[in-house]
Amino acid sequence: MRGSSAFSLLPDRFAVSVTPTPTPILHAVCDIFVSLQGEGTWTGRPTAFVRFWGCPLHCPWCDEPRHRDPGSRRLLTTGAIIAALRAFGEGSARVLLTGGEPLAREGLGSLVSELNCAGFDVAMETSGVGGAVPPGVAWVTLSPKWPPPPEAVHRRADEIKFVVPADPSEAVLGEIARWSREHPNVWVQPQARGDEPDPASTRRAVALVMESRGRLRLSLQTHKWIGLP
Amino acid sequence: MAGRGVPRILLLTDRSTLPEPGPVIAAALKGGGFHLCLREKGLEAGALLRLASELREILLSGGGTLLVHDRVDVALAIGADGVHLPGGGIPTAAARDLLGPELLLGRSCHHVEEAVLALAAGADYVTLSPIFATRSHPGAPHLGVERFREMRCAIPGPVLALGGIEASNAGLAAEAGADGVALIRGIFAAPDPARVVATLRAIFVPGGSRPVFQRVAKADDRSESSGPA
């Protein structure tokens, strides 16, 4: 195969093998920032967030609409992402890949590998839809939607976080009950209404926790209380 | 005050285009907030200081933000919101040391390497130019949208497109990944500057959207990126 259009002008006997310059992988992101993790197991820990643009799901309660805003979509090379994270300093030692849906992005494995090589501890928050978790991810937060993702993703997860509406379906309640028995680190988090937890969803989440005999914990988006992104 | 909010719309003064920019700036503010960079290369510091003082009064009345081109001393003396360094200006790190962590700092760049270094040394944003052909340099080569897009992907921070920007082509810059635009004639030679600003805000600040790249978060720092509207 000819690697450059310039060689197409030559007769075949002059054909040479040229390794084309690899096209850099570009990652569609909509947010890069450092903040405190506000939810779940690592609440309060400084974390650099890389939010991917785009998600195959369309959850009506999604509180991160930027991943669908074309004006927030930036295509960045892996090197640019790493340089942006380094500019944040020590607060970016742990990187959370979130979304949108990181698992649905091409080149994710390569990015994780490069981040590891650059010394970053990589975590991921995912709905479990879009592919397998690549090697090198040190912590997986699974936030399953409906229908539930494959069982293997649940078992790979280090924590499972169910976002709970005021009136969850029996099927969803069944999933929460199942994984509260089969997984050691399961959280329920009330659906958000703007920057506040929806009161009815909160009541339901609290009730689930109280009924769970210690198997479920309540996750709140504490960063929003103090105006952190 | 916009604080460290990165400019989305950066207007650069130029007496050769408009000797008395005050009235046009006042008119442009009717279209919404923007950042103004006082860029008058021929003026001595005293005259620059007086002009900066006049323009700041106008900007304060309409929700604009003042940057000073090149002259860190003048910016500090007048209490400007920041400095925009030319390519031949003092090193970015030196400017950051003088300005402290809070004031805004940008730099004009023409190459990816320059931009990467500037951002790593403390710049909040860079301009990349010229994206389009300019009337000030007729016949001079320009990047074009595709080359701009390629370069932008490798730059780990906010990039403003500069060069030949007008209301009619700013959308192309946004599609190529620009976080904002910087312009001279596109505003100061426009028949309706307020309309230009309103058009640019609709492209780059829809609904007060926050920037893709953010500095380290501070509690309750919810400042919007392009100054108060």
Side-chain angles (χ1 to χ4, degrees):
Chain A
M1 180 180 131
R2 294 170 181 176
S4 163
S5 59
F7 291 107
S8 64
L9 301 175
L10 299 173
D12 280 348
R13 66 178 182 280
F14 293 117
V16 292
S17 175
V18 174
T19 303
T21 303
T23 304
I25 298 171
L26 298 179
H27 309 280
V29 304
C30 62
D31 257 334
I32 297 185
F33 61 97
V34 169
S35 185
L36 299 181
Q37 172 59 273
E39 309 171 5
T41 306
W42 294 103
T43 295
R45 176 170 170 161
T47 302
F49 295 78
V50 176
R51 186 181 305 287
F52 287 92
W53 192 91
C55 180
L57 304 178
H58 295 82
C59 306
W61 66 84
C62 181
D63 61 350
E64 290 293 347
R66 282 168 64 79
H67 73 269
R68 299 195 190 289
D69 173 11
S72 296
R73 184 172 182 263
R74 295 287 180 276
L75 293 173
L76 295 177
T77 62
T78 301
I81 290 175
I82 290 173
L85 293 169
R86 283 187 169 143
F88 289 136
E90 293 181 1
S92 67
R94 165 164 280 210
V95 177
L96 178 69
L97 306 178
T98 184
E101 177 48 68
L103 280 188
R105 309 311 306 182
E106 289 182 16
L108 179 67
S110 162
L111 175 62
V112 170
S113 173
E114 293 288 331
L115 285 169
N116 285 159
C117 288
F120 292 102
D121 177 24
V122 179
M124 176 186 295
E125 174 146 352
T126 175
S127 69
V129 174
V133 176
V137 178
W139 180 270
V140 175
T141 299
L142 173 66
S143 183
K145 309 301 186 294
W146 193 263
E151 187 169 315
V153 184
H154 288 78
R155 302 211 181 278
R156 169 63 184 84
D158 298 285
E159 68 177 353
I160 302 176
K161 182 177 64 186
F162 288 95
V163 178
V164 177
D167 188 19
S169 68
E170 288 300 319
V172 168
L173 291 172
E175 281 292 300
I176 295 173
R178 175 192 173 185
W179 290 108
S180 73
R181 291 190 302 270
E182 298 187 21
H183 194 285
N185 193 12
V186 182
W187 301 71
V188 288
Q189 180 172 297
Q191 274 186 15
R193 192 170 65 181
D195 280 349
E196 306 282 340
D198 171 59
S201 302
T202 303
R203 284 192 292 275
R204 190 58 188 258
V206 169
L208 287 170
V209 170
M210 298 299 282
E211 294 160 6
S212 74
R213 300 185 178 187
R215 293 195 184 106
L216 292 174
R217 281 188 282 175
L218 182 70
S219 171
L220 296 172
Q221 295 180 300
T222 57
H223 54 292
K224 293 183 176 179
W225 305 351
I226 52 174
L228 290 178
Chain B
M1 174 177 156
R4 292 285 293 276
V6 169
R8 304 292 187 92
I9 303 161
L10 179 63
L11 310 185
L12 302 157
T13 67
D14 177 15
R15 283 182 304 153
S16 69
T17 301
L18 186 70
E20 296 290 339
V24 173
I25 292 166
L29 285 167
K30 294 188 171 74
F34 52 79
H35 287 65
L36 179 80
C37 177
L38 180 59
R39 176 180 173 273
E40 301 298 350
K41 297 177 182 174
L43 287 185
E44 292 184 338
L48 203 55
L49 203 64
R50 285 190 291 277
L51 183 55
S53 180
E54 290 171 20
L55 295 182
R56 194 177 62 165
E57 290 303 309
I58 296 171
L59 289 167
L60 284 174
S61 67
T65 302
L66 179 67
L67 307 183
V68 176
H69 187 260
D70 197 15
R71 299 293 300 262
V72 176
D73 55 344
V74 172
L76 290 172
I78 192 64
D81 297 292
V83 168
H84 183 93
L85 294 171
I90 65 172
T92 307
R96 175 53 73 203
D97 284 347
L98 291 166
L99 292 172
E102 297 299 326
L103 293 186
L104 194 59
L105 180 59
R107 183 158 205 125
S108 296
C109 298
H110 302 283
H111 305 284
V112 168
E113 295 75 14
E114 288 176 321
V116 171
L117 289 173
L119 290 162
D124 296 300
Y125 71 93
V126 297
T127 60
L128 188 58
S129 64
I131 182 172
F132 299 120
T134 66
R135 277 177 282 183
S136 57
H137 300 86
H142 60 278
L143 297 171
V145 170
E146 284 311 313
R147 180 67 185 133
F148 180 92
R149 189 195 315 273
E150 287 175 19
M151 294 171 73
R152 195 275 162 271
C153 292
I155 297 175
V159 178
L160 276 58
L162 168 65
I165 294 286
E166 299 175 348
S168 59
N169 60 19
L172 294 174
E175 287 172 15
D179 296 273
V181 285
L183 58 168
I184 305 172
R185 293 187 60 87
I187 190 81
F188 290 111
D192 187 348
R195 188 173 183 140
V196 173
V197 169
T199 300
L200 297 179
R201 285 187 62 89
I203 294 170
F204 290 103
V205 205
S209 68
R210 66 178 195 268
V212 172
F213 300 90
Q214 297 178 55
R215 284 278 168 179
V216 177
K218 295 177 184 174
D220 276 325
D221 177 9
R222 303 185 197 205
S223 61
E224 194 275 315
S225 63
S226 80

